[in-house]
């Protein structure tokens, strides 16, 4: 598990295709590696990767076909900068929110403008994730825990303060940049719990007006 508080900006220094999937090497910059051992997890642009080698100035990790298909990693190239965070310890401060490192989808930056010393970004999320994104709720963008400032359909807005711009890769985002998104894990579990026995159905069930009415959450005459 992670907190979404980025500890360092690293760089992709090698990408090696391996029998259909990928092995990559990340140079970790100022990220402290003394307490990292083989098998540990490091969030890399929000993707939980397992350390398989420690060459001294970074780490190697294997990336599965599933991860390549559902994150931005499939479009990475050597030289790309990435946000890094080591897995949290039981004694860590939860400065952001609970982040699993399991990316839910890829979003696109569709707007950017200055707002005093901050930068405002508009992000287009996949339509299926819109229901999990709430005004003033939490979302993880390329591994960074952020507060949603506004929501319009599947688009949401973020205000990025100078410290975050300086300590993450946000400063390099432009309109069209793709980003890894992880929605608030509590929203996902809440949806599953509300489904109750319907969750065991082959299609997983769904929450719609009929479901809400049947379970006493909605009355069409009000």
């Amino acid at each position: 598990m992670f907190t979404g508080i980025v500890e360092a900006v690293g760089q992709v220094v090698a990408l090696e295709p391996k029998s259909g999937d990928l092995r990559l090497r990340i140079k970790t910059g100022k990220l402290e590696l003394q307490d990292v051992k083989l098998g540990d997890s490091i969030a890399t642009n929000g993707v939980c990767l397992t350390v398989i080698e420690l060459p001294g100035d970074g780490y190697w990790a294997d990336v599965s076909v599933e991860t390549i298909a559902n994150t931005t990693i499939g479009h990475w190239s050597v030289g790309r900068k990435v946000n890094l965070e080591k897995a949290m310890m039981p004694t860590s401060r939860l400065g952001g929110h609970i982040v699993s490192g399991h990316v839910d989808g890829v979003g696109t930056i569709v707007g950017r403008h200055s707002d005093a010393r901050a930068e405002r970004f508009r992000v287009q999320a996949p339509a299926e994730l819109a229901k999990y994104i709430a005004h003033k709720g939490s979302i993880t963008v390329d591994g960074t825990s952020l507060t949603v400032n506004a929501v319009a359909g599947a688009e949401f807005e973020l205000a990025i303060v100078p410290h975050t711009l300086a300590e993450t890769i946000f400063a390099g985002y432009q309109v069209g940049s793709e980003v890894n998104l992880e929605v608030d894990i509590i929203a996902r579990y809440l949806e599953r719990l509300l489904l109750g026995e319907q969750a065991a159905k082959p299609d997983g069930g769904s929450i719609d007006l009929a479901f809400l009415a049947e379970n006493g959450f909605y009355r069409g005459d009000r």
Side-chain angles (χ1 to χ4, degrees):
M1 303 299 290
F2 307 91
T3 68
I5 303 300
V6 174
E7 296 179 272
V9 172
Q11 188 174 42
V12 178
V13 293
L15 290 160
E16 297 182 357
K18 291 284 184 180
S19 302
D21 53 35
L22 188 67
R23 177 170 292 186
L24 59 80
R25 180 178 173 182
I26 305 294
K27 190 173 183 180
T28 51
K30 68 178 185 179
L31 188 72
E32 296 288 340
L33 295 176
Q34 289 89 337
D35 60 344
V36 176
K37 60 184 183 299
L38 298 184
D40 282 356
S41 298
I42 297 179
T44 308
N45 264 16
V47 183
C48 178
L49 296 179
T50 300
V51 174
I52 60 170
E53 291 184 39
L54 286 164
D57 62 349
Y59 59 93
W60 284 89
D62 285 327
V63 184
S64 69
V65 172
E66 173 75 11
T67 300
I68 293 170
N70 291 286
T71 71
T72 60
I73 290 180
H75 301 143
W76 289 6
S77 58
V78 171
R80 183 188 181 102
K81 293 183 177 180
V82 290
N83 292 324
L84 302 175
E85 182 193 354
K86 294 183 288 188
M88 65 184 295
M89 303 287 287
T91 55
S92 300
R93 288 178 176 170
L94 188 59
H97 70 284
I98 298 173
V99 176
S100 69
H102 302 153
V103 172
D104 292 301
V106 174
T108 304
I109 305 296
V110 294
R112 174 178 179 171
H113 69 272
S114 297
D115 183 12
R117 294 184 302 121
E119 287 286 306
R120 293 265 185 173
F121 292 84
R122 279 190 300 114
V123 185
Q124 176 74 44
E128 63 270 20
L129 297 184
K131 60 184 175 181
Y132 304 111
I133 302 171
H135 181 225
K136 297 303 179 183
S138 296
I139 193 164
T140 308
V141 179
D142 273 346
T144 308
S145 172
L146 297 165
T147 299
V148 176
N149 294 111
V151 181
E155 285 189 11
F156 62 94
E157 187 171 284
L158 306 165
I160 308 300
V161 298
H163 176 80
T164 304
L165 285 171
E167 298 298 325
T168 70
I169 63 173
F170 257 91
Y173 291 161
Q174 301 297 330
V175 171
S177 296
E178 292 187 327
V179 292
N180 292 321
L181 301 178
E182 181 185 333
V183 299
D184 189 349
I185 193 171
I186 295 174
R188 279 206 172 277
Y189 278 118
L190 180 60
E191 178 188 39
R192 196 70 173 167
L193 286 168
L194 283 173
L195 283 170
E197 293 181 358
Q198 282 200 37
K201 293 182 177 180
D203 63 357
S206 63
I207 296 177
D208 53 21
L209 289 179
F211 172 87
L212 293 174
E214 181 181 345
N215 289 275
F217 295 105
Y218 171 76
R219 284 184 60 181
D221 57 347
R222 288 187 176 181

